[in-house]
Amino acid sequence: MRMLAILANVFLLHLSGTAVAQEEPYNTAVESWLNGSEAEGLQGLSEAASQGNSSAQMILGQIDRDTVPGGFSDYLIDHPGRDQLLRAPDPDKGTVNWLLALSDPALKANGEAVFGYRVGRQPISNAIALQSHGEVEGAEYVLWNTLNNGRFDLINSMPAENYGLSEAGFLKWIEAYMARENKAITMRAFVEEANPKRVSGLLGLKRLARLLNLNQHFSDEANQFTTVMLGRGSDLPESVNLVRLNENISRISETDSYLNIVKRYCESCEGDTVDYDCVVQALEIAGGYKTLMSIRTPVETSIDQATFMNSKRPVEIFSQLVNNMRRYYSRDIRSSCIAANLKAKL
């Protein structure tokens, strides 16, 4: 019996060593994708996925599945071996998305939830499925998008068993606003708030404003801020104070990780003078705060949201978005920073 116990321990140690050995290349690949070479990172993730690493499989599956980041990656757009790099081999179809071919059968429902959140006409069910598998940011994005598409009825009819989805940050912000006596929205007070979801909450409230007769409570500066967040910077009045507007955005970005992406993008090419047009025009080209919310970790169970947002990858993704969306933007480029980035890509 003693010998059996020794052999069992040796076997377990061997398995543990094998698992650690498999994790090291995966961790290196993730770090490279987040903060180094996209090409090397994706290649490393592809190799890890082929060896059965479920985390790598889920990351690649979402990159292949989603418009952001896969659809705007300079490296992937014209990559001749894109399918072989990002997808699982399939004897019938050639390749298939990894989310539908995960090595671990226990993750099947998780993969299907991540793969299918944009499919069908049941966004609340999709959001709840994401939430139930720990994809909190993805679930909140689907819920927020549902509200901004005018489907208030779906929000109101959310089932009680929603795994905490009803506690989404932007909903709690709107709930707190509706409960307060003073309904005035001023940038002075808004900037001082610490809620990291206050921008998505404010945009959700703006969507409800006409229905609930709330527009009267928005100050001029609050309206200008929401105009920029909606990607409509060209609609700003001639009298707008761009210095103060940028100061407010900078302050808010200290606690708003999505807005911080644009701030970091514009700070990357600051010279002797501040480019007050950069944030405004970059958001206009990219499509506003809604687009920023789609720049999130591919899979939270593989790379947590904070690690992803604090890395270099979100800024690179946003830069690629601006560069690629420029072709659909008919207005002149006012920002010297954006012009420099576009020129560098030529």
Side-chain angles (χ1 to χ4, degrees), residues 264-271 273 275 278 335-338 340-341:
R264 290 162 64 193
Y265 167 82
C266 291
E267 284 180 343
S268 67
C269 52
E270 273 191 2
T273 59
D275 184 351
C278 184
S335 165
S336 59
C337 180
I338 296 174
N341 281 331

Side-chain angles (χ1 to χ4, degrees), residues 15-313:
L15 288 180
S16 175
T18 301
V20 170
Q22 289 178 340
E23 283 299 310
E24 286 181 3
Y26 163 75
N27 291 333
T28 300
V30 168
E31 177 59 25
S32 182
W33 185 69
L34 290 175
N35 292 301
S37 166
E38 180 181 20
E40 291 179 10
L42 290 177
Q43 184 59 46
L45 286 170
S46 183
E47 292 170 5
S50 297
Q51 294 166 8
N53 188 297
S54 296
S55 293
Q57 292 170 358
M58 294 191 75
I59 293 170
L60 291 176
Q62 182 66 332
I63 291 174
D64 175 59
R65 170 73 179 85
D66 240 352
T67 303
V68 180
F72 291 96
S73 164
D74 293 340
Y75 173 65
L76 290 175
I77 284 177
D78 297 316
H79 195 298
R82 184 187 191 281
D83 285 357
Q84 286 68 35
L85 181 69
L86 299 183
R87 297 164 65 87
D90 183 89
D92 300 319
K93 301 176 183 178
T95 61
V96 65
N97 187 285
W98 272 115
L99 293 169
L100 303 179
L102 295 172
S103 298
D104 187 350
L107 295 174
K108 183 176 185 293
N110 192 341
E112 289 175 350
V114 175
F115 182 84
Y117 80 93
R118 291 179 182 272
V119 180
R121 300 181 180 180
Q122 302 295 329
I124 300 301
S125 297
N126 292 339
I128 291 174
L130 286 172
Q131 184 84 10
S132 70
H133 291 290
E135 301 299 327
V136 178
E137 289 295 321
E140 184 159 338
Y141 172 77
V142 174
L143 191 65
W144 182 86
N145 209 33
T146 303
L147 173 66
N148 280 270
N149 285 337
R151 295 306 307 271
F152 315 128
D153 56 320
L154 295 180
I155 304 291
N156 288 331
S157 61
M158 188 190 310
E161 185 60 48
N162 55 61
Y163 301 93
L165 184 62
S166 58
E167 300 296 309
F170 78 92
L171 281 182
K172 300 302 290 184
W173 187 92
I174 294 174
E175 181 182 312
Y177 170 81
M178 296 303 296
R180 76 191 200 194
E181 185 175 346
N182 181 7
K183 293 293 192 291
I185 299 177
T186 65
M187 288 309 295
R188 178 176 296 181
F190 189 74
V191 165
E192 295 299 328
E193 291 186 34
N195 190 331
K197 301 294 184 178
R198 62 190 183 279
V199 175
S200 54
L202 180 68
L203 294 178
L205 185 70
K206 192 65 174 175
R207 186 67 177 83
L208 294 165
R210 182 178 296 180
L211 179 67
L212 301 178
N213 194 29
L214 296 174
N215 279 318
Q216 60 184 315
H217 300 299
F218 282 70
S219 69
D220 288 344
E221 285 191 340
N223 277 323
Q224 291 167 10
F225 175 77
T226 56
T227 296
V228 173
M229 295 301 106
L230 290 170
R232 302 171 185 166
S234 293
D235 293 338
L236 288 170
E238 292 288 338
S239 59
V240 63
N241 187 330
L242 284 176
V243 175
R244 185 179 299 171
L245 177 61
N246 274 270
E247 288 175 351
N248 290 335
I249 291 173
S250 180
R251 285 282 305 281
I252 295 168
S253 71
E254 293 172 6
T255 51
D256 187 304
S257 58
Y258 291 113
L259 206 50
N260 191 255
I261 295 172
V262 196
K263 181 188 176 187
R264 290 162 64 193
Y265 167 82
C266 291
E267 284 180 343
S268 67
C269 52
E270 273 191 2
D272 297 331
T273 59
V274 179
D275 184 351
Y276 293 112
D277 285 309
C278 184
V279 171
V280 175
Q281 193 161 38
L283 282 172
E284 187 171 30
I285 294 171
Y289 193 84
K290 176 181 178 178
T291 301
L292 290 181
M293 290 180 70
S294 69
I295 305 175
R296 59 184 185 277
T297 180
V299 185
E300 285 182 68
T301 52
S302 298
I303 304 174
D304 68 81
Q305 177 73 350
T307 298
F308 176 79
M309 296 302 275
N310 290 327
S311 73
K312 296 178 181 178
R313 181 54 46 196

